[in-house]
C-alpha cells in the first residue's frame, strides 16, 4: 500500500535523497524529446530542488566511487581513450576540477600555475599535484583519476566529418548498453536502436544542436528508466547478474522497496580548448516507496507508466513489471 502524506508538512522533513532527486516528469505522459536546457540552473520540485551546479556531490559519493573502482578493476575496458583524444581528457580535467572547487569550497580546492596544478579533496583526504598534459603525473592516468573524483560517467565525442564520434570515455554505470561496444561509433549509430527517434528526427536535430555549441557552453537534459535494486551497473556486460530480476519483480511483495526509478542528468559541455563535446551522465536511483512520499510524484509516475506505449516500455526493459508498478503507485 502506498504512503500518502500532507505535502505541506512532509516536504521539509524528507531526506536529502528525495529532496535532491531530479524527478523528470512534468506531465502525466512521456514521449522522447531532446528536452535540452541551459545547465547550472536550479530546478524546483514538489520535494525540493536540484541542478544548481555542474557536478553534484551527494551522500552516496564515497559509496558510488568505491563501486566504480570494483567495476573497473573487474573490467578495465569500461575506460578507453583513443590516442587522438588525450588532449580532450586533459581539457576535461582542467574544466571540471575548478568548477567542483568553486561549487564546493568547503571540501575541495584547485590551484593552477601554468600547467602545474594542485587538487585537494577533503572527502578523500587527497592532496595531489600534477601537470596538465603529463599522463604520468596522475595515478592510473588522467581519465581514470577523474573517475575517482566524480560520480558521473564520462563520454567524450570527437567532432569530425560533420558528425560526432564516441572516441573516449569512462562508463561504469551504463543503463542497458555497452560502452566497450559503442567506442568508435558515430552519434547516429549509437542511437539507432531507440524506437521512434528516427521517425521523429530527434537524434538528427540533437546532433546538429550539439555540434553548434560554442566552446565553454554547457547544457543538460534528463533521461529515465527503471532498475531492480540499488544497482548502478546495469550494463549489457553484466546482464546475467541483473536481467533475470525483471521477470520476477512484479510479483515480489517487496517490489516498492526494490524497484527504483532511475534518472540520468546528462550534461553537455563543449570543452573550451579542444572543442570536444563532453557528455557527463549522472545516475540517480529512488525506490517506489520514496516516490510515494511525494503525492504529485506518485500520481505522475503512475500515470506515465500506465500510458507509456508498448514499444517504448519494451525498449526501456520495463514491459514485464510496469503495470504492477503503476497499479501500486495509483492505489494510494
Amino acid at each position: 500500500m502506498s504512503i500518502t502524506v500532507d505535502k505541506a508538512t512532509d516536504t521539509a522533513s524528507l531526506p536529502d535523497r528525495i529532496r535532491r532527486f531530479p524527478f523528470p516528469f512534468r506531465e502525466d505522459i512521456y514521449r522522447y524529446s531532446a528536452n535540452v536546457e541551459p545547465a547550472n540552473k536550479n530546478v524546483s520540485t514538489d520535494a525540493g530542488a536540484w541542478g544548481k551546479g555542474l557536478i553534484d556531490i551527494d551522500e552516496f559519493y564515497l559509496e558510488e566511487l568505491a563501486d566504480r573502482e570494483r567495476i573497473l578493476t573487474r573490467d578495465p575496458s569500461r575506460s578507453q581513450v583513443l590516442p587522438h583524444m588525450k588532449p580532450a581528457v586533459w581539457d576535461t580535467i582542467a574544466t571540471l576540477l575548478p568548477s567542483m572547487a568553486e561549487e564546493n569550497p568547503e571540501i575541495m580546492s584547485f590551484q593552477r600555475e601554468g600547467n602545474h596544478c594542485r587538487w585537494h579533496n577533503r572527502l578523500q583526504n587527497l592532496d595531489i599535484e600534477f601537470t596538465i598534459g603529463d599522463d604520468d603525473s596522475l595515478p592510473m592516468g588522467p581519465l581514470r583519476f577523474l573517475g575517482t573524483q566524480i560520480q558521473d560517467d564520462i563520454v567524450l565525442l570527437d567532432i569530425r566529418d560533420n558528425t560526432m564520434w564516441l572516441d573516449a570515455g569512462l562508463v561504469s554505470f551504463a543503463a542497458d548498453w555497452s560502452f566497450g561496444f559503442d567506442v568508435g561509433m558515430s552519434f547516429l549509430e549509437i542511437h539507432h536502436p531507440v524506437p521512434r527517434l528516427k521517425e521523429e528526427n530527434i537524434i538528427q536535430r540533437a546532433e546538429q544542436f550539439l555540434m553548434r555549441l560554442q566552446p565553454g557552453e554547457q547544457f543538460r537534459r534528463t533521461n529515465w528508466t527503471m532498475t531492480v535494486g540499488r544497482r548502478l551497473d546495469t550494463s549489457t556486460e553484466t546482464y546475467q547478474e541483473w536481467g533475470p530480476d525483471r521477470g520476477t519483480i512484479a510479483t515480489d511483495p517487496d517490489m516498492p522497496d526494490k524497484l527504483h526509478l532511475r534518472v540520468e542528468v546528462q550534461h553537455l559541455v563543449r570543452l573550451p580548448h579542444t572543442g570536444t563535446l563532453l557528455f557527463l551522465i549522472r545516475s540517480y536511483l529512488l525506490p517506489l516507496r520514496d516516490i510515494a512520499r511525494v503525492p504529485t510524484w506518485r500520481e505522475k509516475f503512475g500515470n506515465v507508466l500506465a500510458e507509456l506505449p508498448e514499444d517504448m516500455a519494451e525498449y526501456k526493459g520495463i514491459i514485464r513489471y510496469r503495470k504492477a508498478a503503476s497499479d501500486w503507485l495509483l492505489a494510494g
Side-chain angles (χ1 to χ4, degrees):
M1 187 175 185
S2 62
I3 300 171
T4 56
V5 291
D6 180 70
K7 175 181 152 185
T9 59
D10 182 71
T11 300
S13 62
L14 290 172
D16 275 357
R17 68 178 182 275
I18 300 177
R19 288 190 294 108
R20 297 175 58 165
F21 187 74
F23 188 75
F25 306 113
R26 298 179 182 176
E27 308 293 338
D28 285 354
I29 66 170
Y30 171 82
R31 294 294 185 272
Y32 291 120
S33 68
N35 70 79
V36 175
E37 64 180 13
N40 303 299
K41 182 178 68 173
N42 208 41
V43 178
S44 296
T45 71
D46 288 330
W50 66 275
K52 66 179 180 179
L54 180 62
I55 301 294
D56 183 32
I57 297 171
D58 62 15
E59 63 188 289
F60 303 108
Y61 180 74
L62 295 178
E63 173 188 331
E64 291 181 7
L65 293 181
D67 190 22
R68 169 173 288 153
E69 183 60 29
R70 288 190 293 269
I71 293 166
L72 291 175
T73 298
R74 183 176 63 177
D75 183 5
S77 71
R78 306 288 189 97
S79 177
Q80 297 188 47
V81 181
L82 298 187
H84 67 282
M85 296 297 283
K86 289 183 179 181
V89 174
W90 282 110
D91 201 1
T92 302
I93 287 179
T95 298
L96 295 186
L97 293 190
S99 178
M100 294 170 67
E102 182 179 352
E103 293 170 5
N104 306 279
E106 69 286 354
I107 55 175
M108 295 171 175
S109 65
F110 179 81
Q111 294 90 37
R112 178 174 179 177
E113 293 185 10
N115 286 333
H116 182 264
C117 303
R118 183 175 182 181
W119 170 249
H120 187 198
N121 182 340
R122 293 176 180 84
L123 293 179
Q124 299 181 356
N125 294 318
L126 175 68
D127 194 344
I128 189 170
E129 298 183 23
F130 60 89
T131 302
I132 297 289
D134 180 2
D135 287 5
D136 294 331
S137 66
L138 279 174
M140 303 176 288
L143 185 58
R144 184 75 180 268
F145 172 76
L146 184 59
T148 68
Q149 302 303 299
I150 65 174
Q151 292 157 271
D152 308 58
D153 280 329
I154 306 159
V155 172
L156 289 164
L157 298 166
D158 191 28
I159 301 177
R160 62 182 188 274
D161 302 328
N162 200 36
T163 191
M164 299 185 297
W165 303 85
L166 197 169
D167 285 348
L170 186 157
V171 180
S172 55
F173 304 139
D176 208 0
W177 64 285
S178 169
F179 169 75
F181 181 78
D182 287 352
V183 170
M185 285 188 178
S186 71
F187 189 74
L188 293 178
E189 289 172 332
I190 292 168
H191 291 91
H192 180 73
V194 183
R196 299 175 181 246
L197 292 191
K198 183 177 180 181
E199 294 82 354
E200 298 172 20
N201 204 32
I202 293 173
I203 291 300
Q204 289 85 350
R205 295 201 308 271
E207 183 178 42
Q208 291 303 311
F209 170 81
L210 293 173
M211 290 196 298
R212 287 195 298 268
L213 290 184
Q214 297 302 302
E217 283 193 308
Q218 301 178 1
F219 285 80
R220 71 180 177 212
R221 66 182 300 272
T222 59
N223 192 22
W224 71 276
T225 184
M226 298 184 75
T227 300
V228 181
R230 183 169 176 78
R231 181 189 180 99
L232 288 172
D233 178 18
T234 55
S235 61
T236 52
E237 288 90 343
T238 58
Y239 179 81
Q240 71 280 0
E241 299 174 15
W242 54 268
D245 293 337
R246 290 177 168 181
T248 59
I249 190 63
T251 56
D252 190 328
D254 294 327
M255 181 191 68
D257 299 299
K258 292 182 178 179
L259 191 55
H260 291 67
L261 171 60
R262 175 179 179 137
V263 176
E264 295 177 352
V265 176
Q266 304 171 350
H267 276 95
L268 315 162
V269 179
R270 191 74 181 263
L271 293 172
H273 300 295
T274 60
T276 301
L277 188 76
L278 168 63
F279 187 50
L280 294 170
I281 309 168
R282 176 64 195 283
S283 299
Y284 299 82
L285 295 169
L286 198 67
L288 297 188
R289 182 82 63 185
D290 279 347
I291 290 170
R293 296 176 66 175
V294 186
T296 53
W297 290 8
R298 172 186 54 75
E299 184 176 1
K300 275 191 173 66
F301 191 33
N303 287 331
V304 164
L305 290 175
E307 193 277 339
L308 195 69
E310 292 284 299
D311 60 339
M312 296 174 67
E314 180 69 45
Y315 177 77
K316 287 184 177 291
I318 68 174
I319 192 84
R320 285 176 283 182
Y321 56 76
R322 60 93 167 253
K323 184 180 187 304
S326 176
D327 289 348
W328 186 86
L329 288 165
L330 296 178

